[in-house]
Amino acid sequence: MSVFRRTAGSRALVKGLRHHGYSSIATVQEPTLVSVMPNQMRVASEATSGETATVGVWIDTGSRYETDANNGVAHFLEHIAFKGTTKRSQLQLETEVENMGAHLNAYTSREQTVYYAKVLKKDVPKAVEILSDILLNSTFSKAAVNRERDVILREMEEVESQIEEVVFDRLHEVAYVGTPLARTILGPEENISSITADDIVKYVKTHYTAPRMVLAASGAINHDELVSLAGDYFGGVPMAPPDGYTFEDTPSLFSGSDVRDYNDDMPSAHMAFAFEGLKWTDPDVFTLMLMQSLLGVYDSKSAGAAHSSTPLTVALANSGLFTSVQPFCTCYNDTGLFGLYATANLAGYHEAQEVQQILQDEMVSLCTGVSDEDLAKAKSSLKLNMLMQMDGSSPTAEEIGRQMLTFGRRMNLAETWARIDAVDTSDVKRVADKVIWDQEVAFAAVGAGLKYMGDMNSLRRGTFWNRY
């Protein structure tokens, strides 16, 4: 099989950055090899020592590429793909995976769908073949579709019981009103009850095309063998959907609005404040990630909560009103969300006003500048979190697949570290001004005491301070 392109530039980049004093941790990373097949499907891998590997297919499609009429079909497809193919029944598939001692899984997000397997080194060829069979030969029988409806509806009930999931779904609804990112991943109950096998087949033909797919792997992997396997099992994936199978890639526009689900039977209030963040490829995305680290994480149950050094966590501990606060920086292809998720006790107007003021003041304070010492701590924290999230072949394969879809390449640790180290305090102030100062805000909340929280005008006024 002929291959158009292969790159291993990360080793050369690591060598160059080593002389500039960047972290030695980043210089030991193995290069990510990338090949592009004739049908434009990409193959990317990072070989490490050991006897296990993770291999999977990352696809550039998710709930944002659906319509109001078929919202939920991507997640439905993820479920039904394991229910049998033209070559294997569901039982045969499950038995084969179990006999290998492998882990086969999938997930759907707003912008990506992923199918992956963790296997022994010797079983990588079999894993690639199984993944191709699931993706290209699933039968989508009417009986299996009907059985899976009940499973998804039960899953929906479980998700509705997870308050944080509910709040973030509602946050997307009010942050991106009427645009694709407002849709939930599971879709509405009426869609789940009405999606047919034909709807699923149409979705696959429309979105599962080779240029939107990446075969990514990490661990005990031979790249040349992986490219050969990709040609054998994915070489026939079409480059474009058939005539008549088109979709509209509508941009998601951020708008400031709010939603509140009053429930005084709950012990506390769960809320999320968000500004429009940055897309994955924005040059300032690492500065925004550092702003997330600068805010810090608070958990009242943690023994060290009262001794945290970030201004936000100190204020939270002193108030005694918060159970937990978690900053978030969520990036998408064309936008993002930056803000705080909090759980707090709102016993009255005074408490609610204090909660709102602390959360907003500490975010707005980033616009007034941070110290070199605090920024250095944030850089160390961000780097550590990144390393922890890449500990193992599965997280590394996830990183490779996601970056190939979002950046079009793998950004190695040496480059990542260099970008983080290049951020200074003036960058933080500049990006904070752009994202936070006097900007529209989205707010979603569920729980008790929300009647005491300020209205949308109050939230909007909290995005700036009067300067004299």
Side-chain angles (χ1 to χ4, degrees):
M1 182 196 70
S2 60
V3 175
F4 284 174
R5 183 168 71 248
R6 170 171 168 164
T7 62
S10 53
R11 191 181 297 277
L13 179 58
V14 166
K15 183 177 179 181
L17 289 174
R18 185 181 294 123
H19 299 296
H20 289 81
Y22 294 116
S23 171
S24 61
I25 295 176
T27 63
V28 300
Q29 185 183 20
E30 292 296 324
T32 299
L33 303 180
V34 179
S35 298
V36 182
M37 300 199 303
N39 64 357
Q40 298 302 301
M41 182 175 179
R42 289 161 290 177
V43 182
S45 70
E46 179 183 304
T48 59
S49 60
E51 293 298 318
T52 62
T54 298
V55 59
V57 180
W58 274 254
I59 309 170
D60 183 25
T61 187
S63 60
R64 76 168 295 168
Y65 298 104
E66 299 168 344
T67 65
D68 291 339
N70 72 356
N71 181 205
V73 68
H75 178 258
F76 206 123
L77 169 58
E78 169 210 320
H79 275 253
I80 204 69
F82 295 101
K83 304 308 175 185
T85 71
T86 55
K87 295 172 59 176
R88 297 174 172 91
S89 66
Q90 180 180 348
L91 178 60
Q92 288 172 324
L93 174 62
E94 292 172 353
T95 301
E96 202 166 337
V97 172
E98 186 175 339
N99 288 343
M100 288 194 299
H103 297 281
L104 181 64
N105 214 332
Y107 67 85
T108 306
S109 69
R110 281 179 165 81
E111 291 189 330
Q112 297 177 10
T113 302
V114 180
Y115 300 82
Y116 67 97
K118 183 160 188 176
V119 297
L120 294 172
K121 178 181 179 179
K122 66 181 181 65
D123 292 322
V124 168
K126 177 60 71 175
V128 175
E129 188 273 328
I130 289 176
L131 287 168
S132 72
D133 192 30
I134 290 171
L135 288 170
L136 307 179
N137 303 316
S138 288
T139 55
F140 309 129
S141 70
K142 291 183 179 179
V145 169
N146 289 331
R147 284 196 302 270
E148 207 61 24
R149 290 189 208 283
D150 292 335
V151 175
I152 296 174
L153 289 172
R154 287 197 298 272
E155 181 182 346
M156 187 177 292
E157 292 177 358
E158 293 176 6
V159 170
E160 289 294 327
S161 67
Q162 299 171 18
I163 305 302
E164 185 173 346
E165 294 286 340
V166 173
V167 170
F168 275 103
D169 275 347
R170 303 304 298 275
L171 181 66
H172 280 78
E173 290 176 9
V174 296
Y176 300 107
V177 177
T179 62
L181 285 175
R183 301 188 190 107
T184 64
I185 295 169
L186 269 64
E189 185 175 342
E190 54 269 26
N191 282 13
I192 303 305
S193 300
S194 63
I195 286 174
T196 66
D198 289 341
D199 294 326
I200 297 172
V201 171
K202 181 179 180 181
Y203 183 83
V204 171
K205 289 183 177 180
T206 302
H207 297 284
Y208 281 33
T209 54
R212 298 175 68 183
M213 301 171 74
V214 174
L215 180 65
S218 175
I221 290 291
N222 179 288
H223 184 76
D224 291 332
E225 178 188 25
L226 188 65
V227 172
S228 178
L229 291 167
D232 292 341
Y233 298 115
F234 291 96
V237 178
M239 293 181 62
D243 291 340
Y245 289 82
T246 59
F247 71 97
E248 186 176 356
D249 187 7
T250 307
S252 285
L253 305 177
F254 184 93
S255 57
S257 57
D258 66 331
V259 60
R260 306 163 196 232
D261 186 352
Y262 299 92
N263 186 347
D264 287 338
D265 291 331
M266 293 177 63
S268 56
H270 299 251
M271 64 192 75
F273 292 88
F275 297 92
E276 182 174 19
L278 303 175
K279 62 183 180 180
W280 279 114
T281 55
D282 193 290
D284 290 321
V285 70
F286 287 107
T287 304
L288 194 64
M289 292 179 184
L290 284 168
M291 288 164 55
Q292 178 185 6
S293 297
L294 282 162
L295 288 171
V297 178
Y298 176 78
D299 184 350
S300 63
K301 298 178 183 177
S302 171
H307 306 290
S308 178
S309 59
T310 72
L312 172 62
T313 53
V314 170
L316 297 173
N318 290 338
S319 73
L321 297 173
F322 295 87
T323 303
S324 64
V325 174
Q326 172 72 53
F328 55 88
C329 178
T330 304
C331 298
Y332 294 109
N333 290 337
D334 56 352
T335 183
L337 292 174
F338 178 79
L340 292 169
Y341 177 87
T343 305
N345 300 312
L346 308 179
Y349 287 106
H350 175 75
E351 289 82 359
Q353 184 179 10
E354 186 174 357
V355 163
Q356 179 180 330
Q357 184 171 355
I358 290 173
L359 295 177
Q360 292 200 278
D361 279 1
E362 295 305 331
M363 283 193 284
V364 173
S365 70
L366 293 173
C367 303
T368 66
V370 297
S371 69
D372 290 329
E373 181 182 2
D374 286 343
L375 182 57
K377 291 178 183 177
K379 289 179 179 181
S380 297
S381 176
L382 178 58
K383 291 177 182 179
L384 177 60
N385 286 334
M386 287 182 168
L387 287 173
M388 291 173 65
Q389 290 171 9
M390 295 170 58
D391 188 11
S393 66
S394 294
T396 300
E398 158 68 26
E399 183 84 355
I400 294 171
R402 179 184 58 77
Q403 289 195 353
M404 289 300 297
L405 292 181
T406 55
F407 296 127
R409 65 186 181 91
R410 174 77 190 284
M411 186 182 297
N412 59 47
L413 285 177
E415 180 182 353
T416 303
W417 271 208
R419 288 175 177 242
I420 292 173
D421 289 336
V423 175
D424 60 26
T425 55
S426 65
D427 293 318
V428 173
K429 185 179 184 302
R430 174 180 55 80
V431 175
D433 275 340
K434 178 171 69 173
V435 173
I436 298 172
W437 188 267
D438 199 14
Q439 298 299 313
E440 300 300 331
V441 61
F443 177 72
V446 175
L450 294 176
K451 60 189 175 185
Y452 303 120
M453 287 292 292
D455 63 9
M456 196 62 194
N457 290 326
S458 173
L459 295 174
R460 184 63 178 80
R461 286 195 299 271
T463 64
F464 63 91
W465 297 335
N466 290 326
R467 292 175 172 175
Y468 299 97

